[in-house]
């Protein structure tokens, strides 16, 4: 019997992730904060899925905030001194 004929626990392909010290510390922090006892792979999958949703939501929130800002600026409800912004963002004089 070859390895490829063994029953796989999932029909989905696997993704290799290196369990380096940074990842181990991140998982340990989550476990300490939440008390979860999930296996590393299960916890990592859950965090990836939830993290993707959080990132997409943050992106939507940024777009909405930008649209509201531009709308307020266009309706002259928001006074923005662009010259002052440019001065704040300018590199320091040598």
């Amino acid at each position: 019997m070859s390895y490829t004929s063994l029953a796989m626990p999932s029909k989905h392909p696997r993704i290799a992730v290196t369990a380096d010290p940074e990842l181990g510390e991140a998982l340990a922090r989550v476990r300490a904060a939440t008390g979860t006892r999930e296996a590393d792979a299960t916890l990592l999958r859950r965090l990836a899925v939830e993290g993707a949703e959080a990132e997409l939501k943050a992106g939507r929130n940024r777009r909405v905030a930008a649209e509201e800002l531009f709308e307020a600026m266009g309706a002259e409800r928001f006074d923005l001194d662009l010259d002052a912004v440019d001065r704040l963002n300018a590199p320091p004089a040598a």
Side-chain angles (χ1 to χ4, degrees):
M1 175 186 292
S2 73
Y3 173 78
T4 56
S5 68
L6 296 176
M8 294 293 291
S10 172
K11 65 181 178 181
H12 304 289
R14 295 183 175 269
I15 299 172
V17 177
T18 302
D20 61 13
E22 186 178 19
L23 178 59
E25 177 60 29
L27 294 176
R29 287 194 320 264
V30 169
R31 284 194 174 94
T34 65
T36 184
R37 296 170 57 109
E38 294 170 278
D40 285 353
T42 304
L43 178 57
L44 186 58
R45 182 193 179 281
R46 182 171 63 81
L47 292 173
V49 170
E50 291 175 5
E53 285 301 316
E55 186 62 29
L56 292 171
K57 182 178 179 181
R60 288 189 297 268
N61 290 343
R62 285 189 296 272
R63 280 191 299 281
V64 168
E67 290 168 4
E68 290 175 359
L69 174 63
F70 290 131
E71 181 182 321
M73 290 171 66
E76 296 184 12
R77 296 187 319 244
F78 185 84
D79 185 25
L80 182 62
D81 184 347
L82 293 176
D83 291 331
V85 171
D86 286 342
R87 285 191 303 275
L88 289 171
N89 289 319

